[in-house]
Amino acid sequence: MGKKSKEPEKPSNAWQGTYGDMITLMLCFFVMLYNPSEIDPTQLATITQSLQMNETESTNGGMSLSAGKLSDLGNNINSLPAVEKGRSLGLAKKKAVSLFAPDVKSSKITITSDERGLVISLASDNFFEEGNADLNIEETRDTLLRLSEFFKADELKTRYFRIEGHTDDTPVSLNPKFESNWELSAARAMNVLHYLADYGVDENRFHVAGYADTRPKASGDTPEARAYNRRVDIIILDEGHF
């Protein structure tokens, strides 16, 4: 009877432990990088659908998850002007909030934004006597200097502005210069522009308008509401409202 041949030794499985540890570490690493807020729902649905395809369907080819680098490049180029304009207006708002902090604190100025752009509202009672278009320079000189500095800033070098005069609904009666609130509101806006130009602002980048009492910010016949409606708005215009 012949001697039995020696059976080959089974291969060692020791490497599986090291491999499993490596895969676990990689999984932990990618989980740490995962940010749910950056997931595109459309792409996630496409990935799920592709994973659910049966073997027969998969032989027909895969599914594309993106439009490709060239398409992305085109989209990015098209969006760059809007992104840049939005960024510059955001920087301008931050600068305005910082620069006009004393005026906001003393209620001479309010800073808001709407569909027109960034709006700097001058409280009329601080800048003008009631029914008058002459600026109260002694009380507002420092504010006007800060305004001129702001409109000459690099962040606004490509922007245009509009100065809008507004009144309350009280008829003009004390000043014979003005037949109505229309003339009064326009004169106030013009005087603000003249003083800004005297401080070096380029008046060619400004438009002027008077709206009388047609665009109130507050309703009612109370003195507070009327005071709130008497104002001069200076708007850093969005491109669509130039």
Side-chain angles (χ1 to χ4, degrees):
M1 187 175 180
K3 187 177 180 181
K4 286 187 177 180
S5 60
K6 187 177 180 180
E7 294 183 359
E9 295 182 2
K10 293 182 178 180
S12 173
N13 294 328
W15 63 272
Q16 293 181 353
T18 303
Y19 179 76
D21 291 341
M22 182 187 70
I23 294 299
T24 302
L25 289 173
M26 290 183 64
L27 177 62
C28 292
F29 173 74
F30 286 112
V31 167
M32 291 175 64
L33 294 179
Y34 173 74
N35 185 353
S37 63
E38 296 179 355
I39 292 297
D40 187 335
T42 303
Q43 288 193 357
L44 182 60
T46 304
I47 293 172
T48 303
Q49 183 179 354
S50 65
L51 292 176
Q52 293 175 348
M53 294 173 65
N54 59 38
E55 184 177 357
T56 303
E57 291 173 328
S58 64
T59 59
N60 295 329
M63 299 180 66
S64 176
L65 300 181
S66 66
K69 294 183 178 180
L70 290 179
S71 176
D72 290 339
L73 178 62
N75 291 335
N76 289 337
I77 291 174
N78 288 332
S79 66
L80 279 177
V83 170
E84 185 61 31
K85 288 168 187 171
R87 183 181 297 114
S88 67
L89 197 57
L91 293 174
K93 185 172 184 178
K94 290 181 180 179
K95 184 179 181 69
V97 170
S98 174
L99 184 63
F100 300 121
D103 309 290
V104 172
K105 185 175 181 180
S106 61
S107 300
K108 291 181 180 178
I109 280 180
T110 59
I111 300 172
T112 57
S113 58
D114 58 26
E115 71 281 357
R116 298 170 297 173
L118 183 65
V119 182
I120 301 174
S121 296
L122 315 182
S124 181
D125 287 355
N126 288 290
F127 288 82
F128 304 96
E129 297 291 337
E130 190 169 353
N132 199 308
D134 295 331
L135 274 163
N136 188 350
I137 295 299
E138 295 302 320
E139 295 293 330
T140 61
R141 179 180 286 107
D142 291 342
T143 304
L144 291 169
L145 284 169
R146 281 190 283 272
L147 283 167
S148 64
E149 178 184 345
F150 175 69
F151 291 120
K152 291 185 290 184
D154 289 339
E155 293 89 344
L156 300 176
K157 61 184 178 181
T158 61
R159 293 282 178 174
Y160 287 85
F161 318 101
R162 185 166 67 231
I163 304 179
E164 299 179 351
H166 302 270
T167 69
D168 60 25
D169 57 358
T170 303
V172 174
S173 59
L174 300 178
N175 196 325
K177 292 182 180 179
F178 310 111
E179 295 183 5
S180 70
N181 281 324
W182 288 101
E183 287 82 5
L184 175 60
S185 62
R188 285 177 170 175
M190 283 297 304
N191 282 343
V192 170
L193 176 59
H194 289 325
Y195 273 95
L196 292 178
D198 288 343
Y199 293 138
V201 170
D202 182 7
E203 60 185 348
N204 292 323
R205 295 165 59 199
F206 284 79
H207 300 166
V208 172
Y211 290 101
D213 59 336
T214 61
R215 298 188 178 184
K217 295 180 70 175
S219 59
D221 296 329
T222 65
E224 292 79 12
R226 284 193 290 270
Y228 195 58
N229 292 330
R230 293 193 297 268
R231 68 195 188 278
V232 173
D233 290 341
I234 308 178
I235 302 102
I236 295 90
L237 293 169
D238 193 14
E239 183 176 327
H241 289 83
F242 171 63

